[in-house]
mmCIF file of all heavy atoms in Angstrom:
data_model
loop_
_atom_site.group_PDB
_atom_site.id
_atom_site.type_symbol
_atom_site.label_atom_id
_atom_site.label_comp_id
_atom_site.label_asym_id
_atom_site.label_seq_id
_atom_site.Cartn_x
_atom_site.Cartn_y
_atom_site.Cartn_z
ATOM 1 N N ALA F 1 -5.772 -14.365 1.869
ATOM 2 C CA ALA F 1 -6.228 -15.756 1.723
ATOM 3 C C ALA F 1 -6.349 -16.093 0.242
ATOM 4 O O ALA F 1 -6.393 -15.217 -0.620
ATOM 5 C CB ALA F 1 -7.576 -15.925 2.424
ATOM 6 N N ALA F 2 -6.409 -17.366 -0.066
ATOM 7 C CA ALA F 2 -6.509 -17.818 -1.450
ATOM 8 C C ALA F 2 -7.715 -17.174 -2.128
ATOM 9 O O ALA F 2 -8.812 -17.153 -1.592
ATOM 10 C CB ALA F 2 -6.627 -19.339 -1.495
ATOM 11 N N GLY F 3 -7.478 -16.634 -3.328
ATOM 12 C CA GLY F 3 -8.555 -16.029 -4.090
ATOM 13 C C GLY F 3 -8.829 -14.585 -3.757
ATOM 14 O O GLY F 3 -9.605 -13.921 -4.444
ATOM 15 N N ALA F 4 -8.204 -14.063 -2.706
ATOM 16 C CA ALA F 4 -8.429 -12.672 -2.325
ATOM 17 C C ALA F 4 -7.342 -11.783 -2.923
ATOM 18 O O ALA F 4 -6.393 -12.255 -3.543
ATOM 19 C CB ALA F 4 -8.453 -12.546 -0.804
ATOM 20 N N VAL F 5 -7.502 -10.486 -2.717
ATOM 21 C CA VAL F 5 -6.547 -9.522 -3.244
ATOM 22 C C VAL F 5 -5.363 -9.384 -2.297
ATOM 23 O O VAL F 5 -5.535 -9.194 -1.099
ATOM 24 C CB VAL F 5 -7.232 -8.151 -3.431
ATOM 25 C CG1 VAL F 5 -6.212 -7.082 -3.783
ATOM 26 C CG2 VAL F 5 -8.300 -8.245 -4.501
ATOM 27 N N GLU F 6 -4.142 -9.497 -2.836
ATOM 28 C CA GLU F 6 -2.958 -9.236 -2.036
ATOM 29 C C GLU F 6 -2.609 -7.759 -2.141
ATOM 30 O O GLU F 6 -2.952 -7.094 -3.120
ATOM 31 C CB GLU F 6 -1.800 -10.111 -2.506
ATOM 32 C CG GLU F 6 -1.984 -11.577 -2.166
ATOM 33 C CD GLU F 6 -0.666 -12.321 -2.085
ATOM 34 O OE1 GLU F 6 0.385 -11.674 -2.205
ATOM 35 O OE2 GLU F 6 -0.698 -13.543 -1.895
ATOM 36 N N MET F 7 -1.930 -7.246 -1.123
ATOM 37 C CA MET F 7 -1.669 -5.817 -1.052
ATOM 38 C C MET F 7 -0.227 -5.551 -0.658
ATOM 39 O O MET F 7 0.360 -6.280 0.123
ATOM 40 C CB MET F 7 -2.611 -5.164 -0.025
ATOM 41 C CG MET F 7 -4.082 -5.467 -0.255
ATOM 42 S SD MET F 7 -5.135 -4.836 1.070
ATOM 43 C CE MET F 7 -6.685 -5.682 0.659
ATOM 44 N N ARG F 8 0.325 -4.475 -1.220
ATOM 45 C CA ARG F 8 1.657 -4.019 -0.854
ATOM 46 C C ARG F 8 1.526 -2.668 -0.164
ATOM 47 O O ARG F 8 0.813 -1.782 -0.644
ATOM 48 C CB ARG F 8 2.548 -3.888 -2.088
ATOM 49 C CG ARG F 8 3.988 -3.510 -1.739
ATOM 50 C CD ARG F 8 4.890 -3.547 -2.964
ATOM 51 N NE ARG F 8 4.613 -2.433 -3.861
ATOM 52 C CZ ARG F 8 4.436 -2.544 -5.168
ATOM 53 N NH1 ARG F 8 4.472 -3.730 -5.723
ATOM 54 N NH2 ARG F 8 4.214 -1.489 -5.916
ATOM 55 N N VAL F 9 2.206 -2.501 0.960
ATOM 56 C CA VAL F 9 2.145 -1.265 1.734
ATOM 57 C C VAL F 9 3.487 -0.551 1.626
ATOM 58 O O VAL F 9 4.536 -1.145 1.854
ATOM 59 C CB VAL F 9 1.824 -1.554 3.216
ATOM 60 C CG1 VAL F 9 1.844 -0.263 4.031
ATOM 61 C CG2 VAL F 9 0.472 -2.240 3.348
ATOM 62 N N SER F 10 3.430 0.716 1.275
ATOM 63 C CA SER F 10 4.632 1.543 1.197
ATOM 64 C C SER F 10 4.433 2.754 2.097
ATOM 65 O O SER F 10 3.422 3.460 1.991
ATOM 66 C CB SER F 10 4.873 1.994 -0.244
ATOM 67 O OG SER F 10 5.917 2.960 -0.306
ATOM 68 N N THR F 11 5.374 2.999 3.005
ATOM 69 C CA THR F 11 5.293 4.168 3.887
ATOM 70 C C THR F 11 6.414 5.145 3.547
ATOM 71 O O THR F 11 7.486 4.744 3.065
ATOM 72 C CB THR F 11 5.391 3.774 5.369
ATOM 73 O OG1 THR F 11 6.672 3.198 5.632
ATOM 74 C CG2 THR F 11 4.292 2.782 5.726
ATOM 75 N N PHE F 12 6.141 6.428 3.819
ATOM 76 C CA PHE F 12 7.117 7.461 3.476
ATOM 77 C C PHE F 12 6.972 8.608 4.469
ATOM 78 O O PHE F 12 5.871 9.119 4.672
ATOM 79 C CB PHE F 12 6.862 7.960 2.051
ATOM 80 C CG PHE F 12 7.986 8.783 1.480
ATOM 81 C CD1 PHE F 12 9.075 8.163 0.898
ATOM 82 C CD2 PHE F 12 7.941 10.162 1.537
ATOM 83 C CE1 PHE F 12 10.112 8.921 0.367
ATOM 84 C CE2 PHE F 12 8.975 10.935 1.018
ATOM 85 C CZ PHE F 12 10.065 10.309 0.423
ATOM 86 N N PRO F 13 8.081 9.031 5.113
ATOM 87 C CA PRO F 13 7.989 10.122 6.095
ATOM 88 C C PRO F 13 7.714 11.463 5.424
ATOM 89 O O PRO F 13 8.343 11.804 4.414
ATOM 90 C CB PRO F 13 9.364 10.101 6.768
ATOM 91 C CG PRO F 13 10.287 9.469 5.787
ATOM 92 C CD PRO F 13 9.456 8.486 5.014
ATOM 93 N N THR F 14 6.755 12.220 5.946
ATOM 94 C CA THR F 14 6.427 13.540 5.418
ATOM 95 C C THR F 14 6.393 14.558 6.553
ATOM 96 O O THR F 14 6.569 14.197 7.726
ATOM 97 C CB THR F 14 5.062 13.538 4.692
ATOM 98 O OG1 THR F 14 4.018 13.399 5.673
ATOM 99 C CG2 THR F 14 4.965 12.409 3.687
ATOM 100 N N LEU F 15 6.117 15.798 6.223
ATOM 101 C CA LEU F 15 6.117 16.876 7.201
ATOM 102 C C LEU F 15 5.145 16.621 8.348
ATOM 103 O O LEU F 15 5.437 16.919 9.505
ATOM 104 C CB LEU F 15 5.766 18.196 6.499
ATOM 105 C CG LEU F 15 5.675 19.442 7.380
ATOM 106 C CD1 LEU F 15 7.038 19.746 8.003
ATOM 107 C CD2 LEU F 15 5.177 20.634 6.566
ATOM 108 N N HIS F 16 3.978 16.056 8.038
ATOM 109 C CA HIS F 16 2.940 15.880 9.051
ATOM 110 C C HIS F 16 2.806 14.428 9.530
ATOM 111 O O HIS F 16 1.828 14.091 10.191
ATOM 112 C CB HIS F 16 1.597 16.371 8.500
ATOM 113 C CG HIS F 16 1.576 17.831 8.198
ATOM 114 N ND1 HIS F 16 1.575 18.799 9.171
ATOM 115 C CD2 HIS F 16 1.595 18.493 7.006
ATOM 116 C CE1 HIS F 16 1.568 19.994 8.605
ATOM 117 N NE2 HIS F 16 1.579 19.844 7.300
ATOM 118 N N GLY F 17 3.762 13.593 9.191
ATOM 119 C CA GLY F 17 3.706 12.200 9.622
ATOM 120 C C GLY F 17 3.919 11.253 8.457
ATOM 121 O O GLY F 17 4.230 11.675 7.334
ATOM 122 N N GLU F 18 3.764 9.973 8.723
ATOM 123 C CA GLU F 18 3.997 8.978 7.684
ATOM 124 C C GLU F 18 2.827 8.887 6.715
ATOM 125 O O GLU F 18 1.677 8.721 7.116
ATOM 126 C CB GLU F 18 4.220 7.606 8.312
ATOM 127 C CG GLU F 18 5.603 7.389 8.864
ATOM 128 C CD GLU F 18 5.798 5.958 9.317
ATOM 129 O OE1 GLU F 18 5.208 5.580 10.336
ATOM 130 O OE2 GLU F 18 6.539 5.220 8.650
ATOM 131 N N LYS F 19 3.154 8.990 5.444
ATOM 132 C CA LYS F 19 2.165 8.729 4.407
ATOM 133 C C LYS F 19 2.230 7.255 4.051
ATOM 134 O O LYS F 19 3.311 6.662 4.000
ATOM 135 C CB LYS F 19 2.446 9.565 3.158
ATOM 136 C CG LYS F 19 1.492 9.265 1.999
ATOM 137 C CD LYS F 19 1.835 10.046 0.747
ATOM 138 C CE LYS F 19 0.871 9.681 -0.379
ATOM 139 N NZ LYS F 19 1.180 10.394 -1.637
ATOM 140 N N ALA F 20 1.085 6.648 3.801
ATOM 141 C CA ALA F 20 1.038 5.240 3.405
ATOM 142 C C ALA F 20 0.266 5.112 2.101
ATOM 143 O O ALA F 20 -0.761 5.774 1.904
ATOM 144 C CB ALA F 20 0.382 4.388 4.487
ATOM 145 N N VAL F 21 0.776 4.277 1.222
ATOM 146 C CA VAL F 21 0.074 3.931 -0.013
ATOM 147 C C VAL F 21 -0.053 2.417 -0.066
ATOM 148 O O VAL F 21 0.937 1.699 0.101
ATOM 149 C CB VAL F 21 0.812 4.440 -1.268
ATOM 150 C CG1 VAL F 21 0.107 3.954 -2.535
ATOM 151 C CG2 VAL F 21 0.893 5.964 -1.262
ATOM 152 N N VAL F 22 -1.260 1.949 -0.249
ATOM 153 C CA VAL F 22 -1.529 0.511 -0.345
ATOM 154 C C VAL F 22 -1.839 0.187 -1.789
ATOM 155 O O VAL F 22 -2.783 0.731 -2.373
ATOM 156 C CB VAL F 22 -2.714 0.102 0.558
ATOM 157 C CG1 VAL F 22 -2.928 -1.406 0.486
ATOM 158 C CG2 VAL F 22 -2.482 0.552 1.991
ATOM 159 N N ARG F 23 -1.042 -0.671 -2.397
ATOM 160 C CA ARG F 23 -1.299 -1.138 -3.756
ATOM 161 C C ARG F 23 -2.070 -2.446 -3.663
ATOM 162 O O ARG F 23 -1.631 -3.407 -3.022
ATOM 163 C CB ARG F 23 0.012 -1.346 -4.504
ATOM 164 C CG ARG F 23 -0.063 -2.145 -5.800
ATOM 165 C CD ARG F 23 -0.932 -1.519 -6.863
ATOM 166 N NE ARG F 23 -0.507 -0.194 -7.249
ATOM 167 C CZ ARG F 23 0.363 0.050 -8.238
ATOM 168 N NH1 ARG F 23 0.914 -0.957 -8.892
ATOM 169 N NH2 ARG F 23 0.671 1.293 -8.544
ATOM 170 N N LEU F 24 -3.249 -2.481 -4.294
ATOM 171 C CA LEU F 24 -4.077 -3.684 -4.306
ATOM 172 C C LEU F 24 -3.886 -4.377 -5.640
ATOM 173 O O LEU F 24 -4.208 -3.826 -6.692
ATOM 174 C CB LEU F 24 -5.556 -3.328 -4.108
ATOM 175 C CG LEU F 24 -5.980 -2.826 -2.726
ATOM 176 C CD1 LEU F 24 -5.660 -1.348 -2.561
ATOM 177 C CD2 LEU F 24 -7.468 -3.054 -2.522
ATOM 178 N N PHE F 25 -3.320 -5.573 -5.595
ATOM 179 C CA PHE F 25 -3.123 -6.335 -6.816
ATOM 180 C C PHE F 25 -4.453 -6.901 -7.270
ATOM 181 O O PHE F 25 -5.338 -7.198 -6.470
ATOM 182 C CB PHE F 25 -2.108 -7.468 -6.594
ATOM 183 C CG PHE F 25 -0.793 -6.966 -6.086
ATOM 184 C CD1 PHE F 25 -0.195 -7.535 -4.991
ATOM 185 C CD2 PHE F 25 -0.166 -5.898 -6.687
ATOM 186 C CE1 PHE F 25 1.021 -7.073 -4.507
ATOM 187 C CE2 PHE F 25 1.048 -5.422 -6.223
ATOM 188 C CZ PHE F 25 1.649 -6.008 -5.130
ATOM 189 N N GLY F 26 -4.601 -7.082 -8.572
ATOM 190 C CA GLY F 26 -5.852 -7.577 -9.122
ATOM 191 C C GLY F 26 -6.276 -8.886 -8.491
ATOM 192 O O GLY F 26 -5.461 -9.723 -8.116
ATOM 193 N N ALA F 27 -7.577 -9.075 -8.366
ATOM 194 C CA ALA F 27 -8.098 -10.315 -7.806
ATOM 195 C C ALA F 27 -7.618 -11.501 -8.621
ATOM 196 O O ALA F 27 -7.375 -11.403 -9.811
ATOM 197 C CB ALA F 27 -9.626 -10.275 -7.780
ATOM 198 N N ALA F 28 -7.488 -12.626 -7.952
ATOM 199 C CA ALA F 28 -6.904 -13.813 -8.581
ATOM 200 C C ALA F 28 -7.660 -14.246 -9.820
ATOM 201 O O ALA F 28 -7.097 -14.845 -10.731
ATOM 202 C CB ALA F 28 -6.851 -14.953 -7.568
ATOM 203 N N ALA F 29 -8.955 -13.954 -9.887
ATOM 204 C CA ALA F 29 -9.758 -14.419 -11.024
ATOM 205 C C ALA F 29 -9.719 -13.466 -12.205
ATOM 206 O O ALA F 29 -10.286 -13.756 -13.253
ATOM 207 C CB ALA F 29 -11.214 -14.617 -10.578
#
């Protein structure tokens, strides 16, 4: 939503399942 933090999700297959990394972009202010 407006003014909140946007996030990017990256998934990657590994030996024990999918790893996920969430990048949190800086707050709008």
Side-chain angles (χ1 to χ4, degrees):
V5 172
E6 289 204 5
M7 307 174 192
R8 184 173 72 228
V9 177
S10 171
T11 64
F12 193 83
T14 71
L15 178 64
H16 296 289
E18 281 187 289
K19 176 183 179 181
V21 175
V22 183
R23 166 62 59 90
L24 290 81
F25 304 130

